Every structure is written in C-alpha cells, then in structure tokens.
Amino acid sequence: MTVLFSVFLLTLLVITAIAAVQSRNLFVSVMLLGIFSLLIAANFLLLDAADVALTEAAVGAGISTVLFLGALALTFEREHRPTPHRWLSLAVVFAATLVVLYATFDKPKFGDPGAPVQVHVAPWYIEKTPEVIDVPNIVTAVLASFRGYDTLGEVFVVFTAGIGVLFLLSASHGHAAQRRPHNGDESKIGLRNDLIPRVVGRLLVPFILLFGLYVQFHGDYGPGGGFQAGALIAAAVILFALVEGEERTLEAIPRGALLALMVSGAMLYGLVGVAGIFLGGEFLNYSVLADDPIAGQHLGIILIEAGVGLTVTGVLLSIFHAFAARDRF
Amino acid sequence: MTDLSMHLPAIQVVAPMLLAPLVVLLKPRGLAWMAATAGSIMAFLVALNLAGQVLAGADVRYVMGGWAEPYGIGLRVDEFSALLLLIVNGASAAALLAARRSIDDAIEGDRQPLFYSAWLLTLAGLCGIVVSADAFNIFVFMEISSLASYILVAGSPDRRALPAVFKYLMMGTIGATFYLIGVGLVYMMTGTLNLADMELRIHEVADQRPILVAAGFITVGLALKAAVFPLHVWLPNAYTYAPHAVTVFLAACATKVSLYVLLRFDFVVFQQNLVGHELQFTAFLMPLAALAILVGSAVALFENNLKRLLAYSSVAQIGYILLGASMISVAGLSAGMLHMFNHALAKGTLFLAVVCLATRLATFDLREMAGAARAMPWTMAAFVLGGLSLIGVPGTAGFISKWYLVTAALEQGWLGVALIVVVVAGSLMAVAYIWRIVEAVWFTQPEGGAAEGGTASMNEAPLLMLAVTWAAALANIGFGLYTSPQRELAEKAAGALLGQLP
Amino acid sequence: MELLGIYHYWVFAVLLMIGFYAVVAKVNLVKKLIGLSLFQSAVFLLYITMGKVSGGTAPIFLKDMIDPVFSNPLPQVLILTAIVVGISTTALGLGIVVRIKEEYGTIEEDEIQEIDRR
Amino acid sequence: MQVVLDIISWVLLTAGGAFVLVGGIGALRMPNLYTRMHAASVTDTVGAILVLGGIMLQAGLTLATIKLAAILLFLLITSPTASYALANAAMIAGVKPEAGRAPDTEHDS
Amino acid sequence: MYYVVTIATLVTMALALVRAVLGPTVYDRVLSVNMFGTKTVLLISVIAYLAGRPDFLDLALAYALINFIGVLAVLEFFKSRTARRLQEQSEREEN
C-alpha cells in the first residue's frame, strides 16, 4: 500500500515540477517549488530517510522560499516573454534523459537487500555504530563521525555562501537601481500592524526556538541535528522579523552577532578537529577527546553539531537580512 | 609538541580553511591581505614538503577521524596530486603577493576581508579536491572551491562580471551535479565511494549499463568544469571580467584541478575495468582536444581584448593537456601533466604582467595599448618571457612539454603525425597572437602624438608586484633549463595511473 | 515492486529533464535558479531511492526494536550534505541575480546581452 | 475497553478523512477566494482534530500522544491565523468577496 | 482505517495542487499552499503511526511550523507589494 502512496506522490511531484517551470509568474513558481519540497520530503520519509525529509522541508519549503521571495522583492515577479525555442538545448536535454533512462534497466531492483549498496560499507556502519559510537541515530553517527570531514566541508560551503551574499550585497548600488519610497515600517500595511498574526507570532517564536534546540540536541536519538536545528532557529527569527519588523530583529540580534555566530560555529568545528591532532589522534578523531573513546565520540558529536547549528543559523539569518536590507536603502 | 609532519595532508586543506573565518574578522586595512598571504605561503611550504616526501618515494596517506577506508574518508598524496598541489599553492601565493594594490583598486576596504576569506576558501577547496581519495568528498570540496571562486570573480568592479559569474555558476553547478549523478550510479553498482575500493569492486559490474552511463556523466560533468571545448563557454567572460589578481589564480589552476579529477577518476576507476573504454575515451576526447587547440587559438588570433585573448589561449592550452592524456600512453599522459605545470607557469606570468599593467592602464583593448611598453618596460619584458614560454620556444618551460607531446605523438603512428600537425599549428597561432600583443605594446606609436608615448617617463608597477612577476618569468626559464623535479613527478604520476594497464 | 523501482528512477529522469530544460532554455535568471533547484532535487531522489530496503525502516535505533532491518544510512548522509550545498548555491545565485538587476535593470538573459553589446 | 477505543478511533479517522476530502473538493469547486477559504480552513481544523484525535486514541498514553497533541495545538493556533492573514492581505489588495474574480492586476497564471 | 485517511489526504493534496496551478489569483495559490502544508502534516502523522515510528512526529511538527512561517512570509511579501502600489497610487493622485 505504501508503494501506491509513493507512486501517487511521485506523480504529483512531476506535475508540480512541470507547473513550476511552466508558470511565467515567478512568484507562482516559487510557491510551487515550496510544494515540491514538501512532496519530495514526504517521499523521502516513505523511503526511510527521516533526517533528509526534515532537512528538505526546513530548507526547501522554508528557507529557500524566503530567500527566493527576498530576491523577487528586489527584482521582478514576472518573466518578460515566453521561452524561446532553443532547439539545440532541447536536443541536449532529450539526449541526457534518454541516457538516464537507458541506465535504469540494469539497476539493482528497488528495495533489494542484496544490492551492492546494501552489502558493502553500509552494513558496517549499522553494525559498528552501537559498538564504537553508541548513538541510536546511525545517520548522525555517519554524518558527524565516520564522514565528519564531509560535514566539515558542508559547513564551509554554507559559510562560503554566507560571506558570498554578504560580499555581493555590500557592494555599492549599481546605476540601474532605483530608490524606492521608504515605506518599510511606517506604512500601515504589513503583518506587524496586524493584531492577530502579531500576537500569535510572538507567542510562537519562543516555542519554535525551543523546538529548534530540541532538534539540535536530540539529533543523536532521533531525526535532527545541527543543520535542521539551525534552519528552524533561523526560521523562528525570520518569523519574529515578519511580525515585529526588521529593525527590532536587528536590535535583538545585530549583524555583528550573526557574523560572530558564523565564524564561531565554523571555528568550533575546526578546533574540535584540531584538538584531535593535539591529543594524539587524527584530525577529527573524537575518540581521543575523552578518556573513554565512546564518551569522546559523544562529546565530539555534540560539539560539532553545535558548530553546525551556529554556522547555519548565522549564515541563513545574515543572508535574510542582507536581502531584506537591500530593499530599503 | 605533537609531530605535525604526519598530519600534513590534512593541514594542507584545513589550515587555509580555518584561516578563512578568522580573516573575515580582520577589519583593519591590509591585515586581511597579510593574513591571507601568510596563510597561502605557508600552504605552499606544506605543498613543497609533501612533494619532497613523494619524490623521496613515500606514499602519503591519511585517514580522517581515524576511521579506516573505505568506511571513513581517506586522503592520499601521490605524484600527480603533489604536482597539482604545487601548481595550486604556488599560483595562490604568487597571485596574493602581487594582488594587494590591484585588489585595493577593485574592492572597497571594508569588503576586503570577505574577499580574502573567499580566496582562502577557494584555495582550501582546490587542495581538498586534490588530496581526497573519496568520490563524494571531492564533490563537497569542488563546491567549496566553486562557490568561493564565484565570489572572487564577482569582486570585479566591472558590471559585466556579474552575468559572467552567473553563467559560471550555472555551468559549474550543472557540471558538479552531473558528477554527482555519475558518482551515485557508480555507488549504486559498487556500494562504495572510495576511489581505490571502487577500482577493486567495479570489475564485477563493469559491463552493466549504469556504469557506462556513469562514466559518461562524470566525464561530461568534469569536462564542463574543466572548460573542455566545446563546453568552455563560461570561461572567456569569467576570466576577462574577474579582478586581475583573481584571473592569475584561477587561470593557473582552477580548470586544471577539474581536469585532474577527470583523469584520476577515469584512469583509476574506469580505464582498466571497462571493456573498450580506452577507445571511447580517445575517440571522444582526442577530437575535442584537437578542436580546442585549433579553435581556441584561432579565436585568440582575432580577439582585441588582452585578457580575453589570453583566456581563449587557455582554452587551447587545456586542449594540449587533454591531447596528451587522450593518447593513453605513459609518454602522452606525462606530457599532458607536465603541460599542466608549465602552462600554469606561463599563463601565471602573463596574467601577473596583466596585473602590473592594470595599475597604469585603463583599458586592455590592444588597439589602445600602443606604446605601453615604453612606460612599463620591465613588466612587458616579463610578459614577453611568459609569451615565449606559452609558444614553446626552446629554453623555456613551455618547450619541454610540447617536446614531450610531440615525442608521445610520434608513438601513435600516422595518427600521431596528424596530432603533430595540430600541435604545430596551435603553436604557430600562439606565435601570431603573442606577436600581435608585442607589436601593439612595443612597436606601435601611440596616436596621441609624442607627448604621451615618446617622453612618458618610466611608470612601473609597484615593486613587490614586479618582483613576483619577474620571479614567475624567470621560473619559466629556470624550469625550461632544469626540468627534473616536475618532470619526474609527471612521469611517475603517469606511470602510476597507467601502471595497471595492459 | 519491480515496476515501482523503475518508476522511482523514471521520475528521477523526468525531474532531471524538467530541471535541466529550465536551466538551459529559460532566459529569466530566477527561473534558471528554480530549474537548478529541481535539477538537484532529482539527484537527491536518485540517491535516497537506492538506499531503500524493502521492509526496512529509518536507520535509527529505538529502544524496543528486535533485530531491525535498516535502510542504508550512507546515501542519506550524502544527500543531507548535498541539500545544504544546493541551498548555498541557490542563495549565492540569488545574490548575483539581485546585483545584476541593480546594475542592468533586468534579469532576462537576452536583454542583458543586448545591453552589453551596446 | 480496547474494542471501544478502537471503534471510536476508527470513527474519528473515517470522519476526519471525509472532512479532509470535503475540504479539498470545496477548495477546488467553490466560486471565489473567500468561499474557498471557508472550505479549506473549516476542514483544516476539524479534519486535523479528528484525524490526530483518532491516532491519539490508538497510541494511548505515550510520548507519541503528547507529540500529537502538540502538533494539534500548533495547527489549531496557526491555521486560523494563516487564514486571517490571507483574507486580510487579499482584502487590502482589493480582491472583492462578491466578485468571482480578482482585479486584473492580480490575475495571473 | 489508516489507509482511508491516507488516501483521503492524498486526494486532497492533489486537489489543492490543482487549485494552486489554476489560481486564478495569487491568494488562491497561497491558500492551496497552506492547505497542502497542513495535509502533509496529517499525512506524516499517519505514516509515522503506520510505520510504528513515533519519532517521525517531530517531523510533522517541524512541517507545520515551516509551513506557517512560509505562508506568513509570502503574505508579508504581498502586503508590502500592495502597500507600494497604494503609495504610488496616492502619490499619483496628489500630483
């Protein structure tokens, strides 16, 4: 039965994708992209990928939508003209699809426990995790320890995007930029002048923050971890910004603090790695962090997850503010 | 004190990477540059040390987090990666040393820490790709280096850099995603991400369609990132409009690292296991390489913008490297690898000279550069040396690799003769386009009359910049006369990659 | 069951095509980025699909589990990283688009080329 | 006792499913924005109460029930708020309740 | 019984999707996105229970929350757009 649910969701997925590409209103495309994210996340859940589902929902439906909206607010909402027919590109796309379809036929069967991916490497993780790391969530164990170096790279990708957007949007305004009437917080229209969303929003923000912390520190036991928590906390602050206004949010958490979050998170992760070297192990070897290797692993995982969370929160909020501030200059 | 020497492969990547967040905080003027330069020079010393170890016969390996491969992520430095590490770190250090004035002109002081941070991240990403022994880890570091290099290119005050960098981003992401698809398919069939482990396990499934498709996706994706003709469309604009110092760095090493991954993946994982793959590889890449040489050089012949001319010349030079590799022989492959090194030297010198020129010139249009050499004779002299090396005049580094390329081509019989014709034609065109520049800057009278050109006093670039440029120029001569270290690295690397081939 | 497996991969292929089409054929830069997101999502689907074991469950130990069958955690880890990479690329791309709009007053590729040619 | 609980929860689940479906049909078939909003938001809340309530009965007194209650509470707070904000935004933008269509500026697809 | 609910939810998601594609106003689309989000929350709750994994309920909570914030962000975007339009209108009238 779940199989049929999957098929149904996948079909909806394709329809959503087509609609998102077809629509000439970019805003509609962005909203459909949000739906697309929810759908693909539900699919991930059906395919047993709970952590991925959580991340995809938080990132795709939440953060990505907000970022796209921020960019649309600064640019245009509509495509100017219909897509020209570029036959060459269509041919390339078509060829690529045929190639991919060609590959489907020799693939191992769906869900086959004897497939190469299930018999090599992966069983080792499942078998060894309780023994050498002892956290219930194997995904967290692999992410933070066995392949911790990848995750370090991931944190620095996020960090790079953060400084990239800050760098780009700190440039002086170009000649085609037009000054918009400053209507930000004085206008009578906007959520911050709406009683109900404002009250509800303010009520919810602390709970969302709490939930974010739960996801952060519960990541060893269930779906969650630093990245998801960072996205959720950032979402909570964005909600605060929506109902209370940019200025109040920046008063609460100034840009400098966000930059400090970014830097300190990345450095925390790096320093945990370096500590491994100085305590006699390899880079990112957490076992040497404490007398007992397993306690060391636990400590290391908690620290690096905290680093991930800090960086992600800092970067996402910095990017959000960078877009929002560009609107009113 | 812990003995750090065994951790060098990790330090090579991690040191610049961890320096990057700190650099962001260095607001006072010039401090960010100093920190970045110091970090980059240190990374270069690490690379030298690693290369020394490799030349001495050591097999440098490192396991991250203490988890054995293939469960954890391993790092490995062999001859090929040592060569690339030298190129990447050398280019970064030289470019940064020369960059200060040039970057001061291009970017406001308060944005500079972000810029230098991105620079270090690019460096760390490129090093990370080179030392990694894990297919997915390569993807992650590829993305770090790509994202950071987009930032670098977008630092240019020229607004045309923005569409260029957008195109670069699109193409780069498509390339990386193709690579990811390919890795996914290989993983699906073998169950492992470790390159060495893949090599062992791919035997059993080598004849199945997903592997074939994976080989295609990985090759195309990386060719896109390496700007192999005809997938080079992002390169000319990105190089032309990037800040000058960034062009030095990226032109010398960014595409070569993608090429490195392409060759490594192909030779280690696919070549010896897939039936008929050699033939496909040659049939696919050799014509493209030849076309790249011919078309790239031909376009450069008619280009009027100095930087763009050099960018198209880069497209042609990538062709030479690929041509060597596509012969699938030790001689050809080592010629290609050698050319990576020598081209980085030559193109680095040329673009360094461009950085110097940029301090005094407002335009790079050849028609308006008349007499520039009178004002900046030292700069232009270095430029000419770099140009000679690019052409492949005996006595310069460029000659060595072309000589090897021709020798390798001779082994190929009649096909080789055709290849030699291509190489010679490319070199002749190089002579022509370098001559166009030389003619414009040395021999043409500036139109504004004698007031500007004739009596213009020497107006050279800042000393440090000039010194770096000349050091690079002299290195072209030096490595042309004394070739052993890099040749030994290239030959051993080629032998190692082809070692198991029948 | 077999058909379903193929269906997953076909959806992957179709999504890949849709995203790729948007990237290469659309002239609006934001639309290109939307296409890029779809394109990357398709790859996520490929990875997660191959990690599924029939009758398996998410690779998280619960207290009262007896001899559980887990789906493969490794592709999930890889895709977590890939999702983060994807959003980073999108954010940076949007930043560039905003700058392009400020400098050129348009975000249509052909119009930008037109302006540059002048 | 268990049987009674089962029956109640089945009834709740079935009713919940029906409400959800009715809401969906309503959102599709109603003539204009505000009527659609009615269909969607009423069943959003009732449907959620019934479905989550049904599962809660099945789960018994466990951590799962507490989590479900939290989700339900959250939905009950946010759903009407979102509806209100939506109606408010639409009204300010000039979407008229009586007209089937919005003004031309908003009309797009 | 769970299947009944699941199927009903799935069908409703499809209907909401149709509404999102059809429009006609952007507010209709926001409405259907919101509906889609809450239905996903229900779907995940049911799946979590079906799969015997109560820890998935965290996901449902996260979805509900993200969905709410997403919808508010979209509405804020539209309100500021409306505000800008009204302001321009009033300026035009003054002139």
Side-chain angles (χ1 to χ4, degrees):
Chain A
M1 205 60 184
T2 11
V3 168
L4 292 180
F5 297 162
S6 251
V7 169
F8 192 80
L9 284 175
L10 286 171
T11 314
L12 288 188
L13 201 61
V14 172
I15 296 171
T16 318
I18 292 174
V21 171
Q22 270 302 314
S23 167
R24 278 182 59 197
N25 186 323
L26 293 172
F27 168 74
V28 174
S29 291
V30 170
M31 292 206 343
L32 287 170
L33 203 59
I35 292 187
F36 180 88
S37 278
L38 284 177
L39 273 171
I40 203 167
N43 251 309
F44 289 157
L45 192 63
L46 286 176
L47 293 170
D48 298 339
D51 285 271
V52 182
L54 184 53
T55 315
E56 174 65 33
V59 168
I63 302 297
S64 159
T65 307
V66 171
L67 293 186
F68 268 111
L69 288 176
L72 286 185
L74 297 172
T75 54
F76 302 100
E77 284 157 42
R78 294 187 68 83
E79 282 180 81
H80 283 187
R81 75 183 66 83
T83 317
H85 290 287
R86 297 180 174 179
W87 295 112
L88 180 66
S89 45
L90 276 179
V92 169
V93 169
F94 192 65
T97 317
L98 283 187
V99 168
V100 177
L101 287 180
Y102 173 74
T104 48
F105 292 105
D106 275 345
K107 282 178 182 169
K109 285 187 188 123
F110 174 71
D112 180 6
V117 274
Q118 317 293 5
V119 295
H120 192 52
V121 180
W124 188 90
Y125 291 134
I126 295 172
E127 191 187 315
K128 289 284 179 181
T129 298
E131 206 176 298
V132 295
I133 297 187
D134 193 29
V135 296
N137 189 344
I138 303 172
V139 175
T140 302
V142 179
L143 182 85
S145 187
F146 295 124
R147 293 188 71 91
Y149 183 53
D150 266 355
T151 311
L152 177 70
E154 169 193 335
V155 169
F156 275 87
V157 170
V158 176
F159 180 80
T160 310
I163 61 168
V165 173
L166 287 181
F167 179 74
L168 283 166
L169 297 188
S170 61
S172 52
H173 292 266
H175 21 86
Q178 336 139 335
R179 188 167 284 267
R180 281 198 173 128
H182 181 101
N183 61 0
D185 285 359
E186 292 100 67
S187 91
K188 287 286 169 288
I189 301 177
L191 286 175
R192 63 191 72 83
N193 305 104
D194 254 356
L195 184 65
I196 295 177
R198 202 170 161 193
V199 170
V200 171
R202 277 161 63 171
L203 181 76
L204 287 179
V205 167
F207 287 101
I208 301 176
L209 287 176
L210 204 63
F211 182 64
L213 289 177
Y214 166 78
V215 169
Q216 168 85 52
F217 292 109
H218 195 255
D220 294 0
Y221 306 97
F227 189 77
Q228 295 92 328
L232 284 171
I233 292 173
V237 180
I238 290 173
L239 176 63
F240 187 77
L242 288 176
V243 298
E244 288 289 341
E246 277 285 304
E247 280 78 5
R248 296 260 338 249
T249 319
L250 280 176
E251 273 167 31
I253 316 172
R255 278 168 216 276
L258 292 176
L259 194 66
L261 274 184
M262 272 163 69
V263 171
S264 62
M267 287 311 289
L268 178 59
Y269 202 144
L271 289 179
V272 170
V274 173
I277 289 185
F278 283 104
L279 292 173
E282 288 84 359
F283 185 74
L284 288 176
N285 188 342
Y286 314 137
S287 296
V288 294
L289 294 182
D291 293 336
D292 176 29
I294 290 185
Q297 289 287 344
H298 283 190
L299 179 65
I301 290 177
I302 287 178
L303 285 177
I304 66 121
E305 289 273 14
V308 177
L310 291 176
T311 306
V312 170
T313 312
V315 167
L316 293 180
L317 286 175
S318 295
I319 293 176
F320 171 73
H321 283 307
F323 277 117
R326 203 70 175 173
D327 202 11
R328 296 186 299 272
F329 55 91
Chain B
M1 192 62 194
T2 325
D3 178 24
L4 287 178
S5 63
M6 62 167 287
H7 297 288
L8 282 182
I11 291 171
Q12 177 78 75
V13 185
V14 170
M17 196 147 115
L18 290 186
L19 195 56
L22 294 179
V23 165
V24 173
L25 301 177
L26 298 176
K27 290 289 177 208
R29 206 171 170 72
L31 218 55
W33 173 78
M34 270 178 241
T37 312
S40 185
I41 290 174
M42 200 204 76
F44 183 54
L45 294 180
V46 173
L48 277 178
N49 187 323
L50 280 171
Q53 285 186 33
V54 169
L55 271 179
D59 182 22
V60 185
R61 283 167 186 278
Y62 194 79
V63 282
M64 278 290 169
W67 302 114
E69 298 172 58
Y71 309 110
I73 297 170
L75 305 184
R76 178 165 185 218
V77 183
D78 60 5
E79 291 85 2
F80 196 8
S81 25
L83 188 72
L84 261 290
L85 282 179
L86 285 179
I87 297 174
V88 169
N89 287 295
S92 165
L96 269 176
L97 273 176
R100 178 152 187 204
R101 276 288 301 280
S102 166
I103 297 299
D104 276 346
D105 291 342
I107 297 167
E108 301 90 324
D110 54 337
R111 295 170 73 214
Q112 281 187 10
L114 295 169
F115 179 84
Y116 285 117
S117 176
W119 187 300
L120 284 172
L121 286 167
T122 313
L123 176 64
L126 292 174
C127 291
I129 297 171
V130 173
V131 299
S132 182
D134 185 282
F136 190 80
N137 191 247
I138 289 176
F139 167 76
V140 173
F141 279 86
M142 199 186 272
E143 285 297 311
I144 296 183
S145 68
S146 315
L147 286 184
S149 58
Y150 307 147
I151 302 172
L152 294 185
V153 176
S156 165
D158 189 334
R159 71 170 178 175
R160 284 172 294 181
L162 292 167
V165 79
F166 191 81
K167 189 166 222 167
Y168 185 14
L169 183 140
M170 279 294 160
M171 296 285 211
T173 313
I174 292 176
T177 312
F178 269 26
Y179 173 77
L180 193 59
I181 295 172
V183 170
L185 291 173
V186 175
Y187 172 65
M188 174 191 264
M189 302 309 286
T190 61
T192 184
L193 291 165
N194 187 281
L195 289 179
D197 199 27
M198 261 180 202
E199 181 193 351
L200 295 177
R201 295 178 57 86
I202 209 167
H203 283 292
E204 301 157 23
V205 291
D207 54 340
Q208 302 202 330
R209 281 178 275 196
I211 295 291
L212 218 62
V213 172
F217 267 109
I218 290 174
T219 310
V220 173
L222 291 171
L224 191 54
K225 286 199 87 91
V228 173
F229 183 87
L231 303 171
H232 66 278
V233 286
W234 57 267
L235 184 140
N237 273 352
Y239 282 11
T240 308
Y241 300 123
H244 311 301
V246 171
T247 314
V248 178
F249 182 30
L250 294 184
C253 59
T255 53
K256 292 184 188 64
V257 170
S258 300
L259 219 46
Y260 160 87
V261 181
L262 176 62
L263 294 183
R264 160 139 291 189
F265 217 108
D266 217 280
F267 281 91
V268 171
V269 178
F270 295 134
Q271 203 71 259
Q272 42 208 317
N273 294 314
L274 267 59
V275 185
H277 185 75
E278 276 177 48
L279 206 62
Q280 291 165 6
F281 187 78
T282 308
F284 178 58
L285 289 180
M286 200 179 271
L288 290 185
L291 275 175
I293 296 172
L294 296 176
V295 177
S297 306
V299 175
L301 267 182
F302 296 100
E303 201 41 72
N304 278 320
N305 181 313
L306 176 58
K307 278 181 91 181
R308 190 189 286 270
L309 186 155
L310 293 176
Y312 272 108
S313 144
S314 278
V315 173
Q317 302 298 322
I318 293 164
Y320 287 114
I321 300 170
L322 212 56
L323 192 68
S326 65
M327 290 177 198
I328 317 195
S329 64
V330 174
L333 199 55
S334 56
M337 289 173 182
L338 206 55
H339 199 64
M340 281 189 184
F341 185 86
N342 292 341
H343 171 238
L345 265 183
K347 207 36 86 53
T349 310
L350 290 174
F351 275 120
L352 277 169
V354 168
V355 173
C356 296
L357 284 175
T359 55
R360 301 284 178 258
L361 283 182
T363 170
F364 284 117
D365 194 318
L366 285 182
R367 290 161 297 194
E368 293 165 34
M369 281 172 69
R374 310 238 168 114
M376 311 178 78
W378 286 96
T379 303
M380 284 320 296
F383 187 93
V384 170
L385 278 181
L388 290 179
S389 180
L390 190 72
I391 296 166
V393 174
T396 59
F399 171 71
I400 307 292
S401 43
K402 286 212 174 136
W403 177 253
Y404 270 75
L405 204 57
V406 171
T407 326
L410 279 177
E411 291 174 7
Q412 305 282 318
W414 281 109
L415 179 65
V417 176
L419 296 181
I420 292 172
V421 171
V422 169
V423 171
V424 171
S427 303
L428 287 179
M429 284 195 262
V431 172
Y433 60 67
I434 293 294
W435 174 251
R436 279 185 66 211
I437 304 170
V438 171
E439 186 188 20
V441 296
W442 284 97
F443 298 114
T444 314
Q445 285 296 335
E447 280 172 23
E452 262 180 85
T455 59
S457 55
M458 295 254 291
N459 195 6
E460 265 299 352
L463 197 60
L464 181 60
M465 219 182 247
L466 204 59
V468 175
T469 312
W470 264 94
L474 290 178
N476 273 302
I477 305 289
F479 282 115
L481 299 175
Y482 170 71
T483 56
S484 34
Q486 88 271 26
R487 206 188 61 208
E488 199 181 332
L489 277 176
E491 274 173 359
K492 278 188 180 168
L497 279 194
L498 286 165
Q500 299 95 334
L501 267 187
Chain C
M1 208 56 195
E2 203 164 319
L3 185 76
L4 179 75
I6 290 193
Y7 193 71
H8 270 93
Y9 292 126
W10 281 33
V11 167
F12 150 69
V14 170
L15 287 179
L16 199 69
M17 180 184 78
I18 296 169
F20 197 26
Y21 166 77
V23 173
V24 293
K26 294 282 172 184
V27 287
N28 185 292
L29 301 184
V30 175
K31 205 50 169 293
K32 274 176 182 280
L33 283 173
I34 290 175
L36 204 62
S37 290
L38 293 174
F39 186 60
Q40 289 173 327
S41 299
V43 183
F44 305 163
L45 192 62
L46 168 73
Y47 271 76
I48 300 294
T49 305
M50 73 173 90
K52 167 80 178 168
V53 180
S54 6
T57 182
I60 303 169
F61 283 102
L62 294 180
K63 263 169 251 138
D64 45 359
M65 256 179 186
I66 310 139
D67 220 7
V69 179
F70 286 136
S71 284
N72 191 342
L74 186 53
Q76 303 187 8
V77 172
L78 305 183
I79 289 315
L80 275 176
T81 307
I83 289 177
V84 178
V85 169
I87 183 76
S88 306
T89 312
T90 307
L92 199 58
L94 287 172
I96 297 170
V97 171
V98 168
R99 289 284 297 129
I100 289 178
K101 156 72 171 50
E102 287 174 358
E103 295 286 352
Y104 288 85
T106 175
I107 53 168
E108 307 282 326
E109 202 177 36
D110 45 355
E111 289 173 20
I112 295 168
Q113 280 166 358
E114 197 62 33
I115 293 173
D116 268 346
R117 212 169 287 137
R118 263 185 258 144
Chain D
M1 188 57 200
Q2 189 56 43
V3 180
V4 178
L5 272 185
D6 274 358
I7 291 174
I8 298 177
S9 88
W10 285 351
V11 170
L12 288 182
L13 283 173
T14 318
F19 262 99
V20 166
L21 196 58
V22 166
I25 296 171
L28 188 65
R29 307 234 351 153
M30 290 286 189
N32 64 29
L33 175 66
Y34 296 95
T35 47
R36 282 178 208 134
M37 208 180 285
H38 156 83
S41 58
V42 167
T43 56
D44 256 6
T45 43
V46 177
I49 293 174
L50 292 174
V51 171
L52 295 180
I55 304 175
M56 271 191 246
L57 285 183
Q58 288 279 321
L61 261 182
T62 54
L63 187 65
T65 306
I66 298 169
K67 281 186 184 167
L68 283 167
I71 296 169
L72 185 55
L73 190 66
F74 193 86
L75 281 182
L76 288 183
I77 294 174
T78 55
S79 244
T81 313
S83 292
Y84 163 78
L86 176 59
N88 186 322
M91 193 197 72
I92 292 175
V95 182
K96 296 284 185 304
E98 63 276 6
R101 286 274 153 108
D104 286 336
T105 48
E106 298 294 331
H107 189 218
D108 52 42
S109 65
Chain E
M1 245 353 90
Y2 294 116
Y3 290 127
V4 174
V5 181
T6 319
I7 292 167
T9 321
L10 283 174
V11 172
T12 310
M13 281 163 87
L15 295 175
L17 186 60
V18 173
R19 182 41 77 201
V21 174
L22 288 182
T25 69
V26 282
Y27 300 100
D28 287 295
R29 298 176 207 274
V30 181
L31 177 68
S32 54
V33 168
N34 186 27
M35 232 177 112
F36 204 92
T38 45
K39 294 305 166 294
T40 318
V41 174
L42 293 187
L43 182 71
I44 286 171
S45 310
V46 178
I47 289 176
Y49 199 74
L50 263 180
R53 300 297 302 249
D55 47 341
F56 287 0
L57 291 173
D58 292 352
L59 288 180
L61 193 53
Y63 279 38
L65 191 154
I66 288 292
N67 185 47
F68 179 61
I69 295 172
V71 168
L72 281 197
V74 168
L75 290 174
E76 171 72 13
F77 173 77
F78 271 98
K79 284 194 150 185
S80 67
R81 196 185 67 165
T82 310
R84 199 170 293 147
R85 208 183 62 211
L86 291 179
Q87 195 169 0
E88 279 164 16
Q89 249 171 29
S90 65
E91 273 166 18
R92 221 173 296 137
E93 276 157 21
E94 276 167 28
N95 292 342

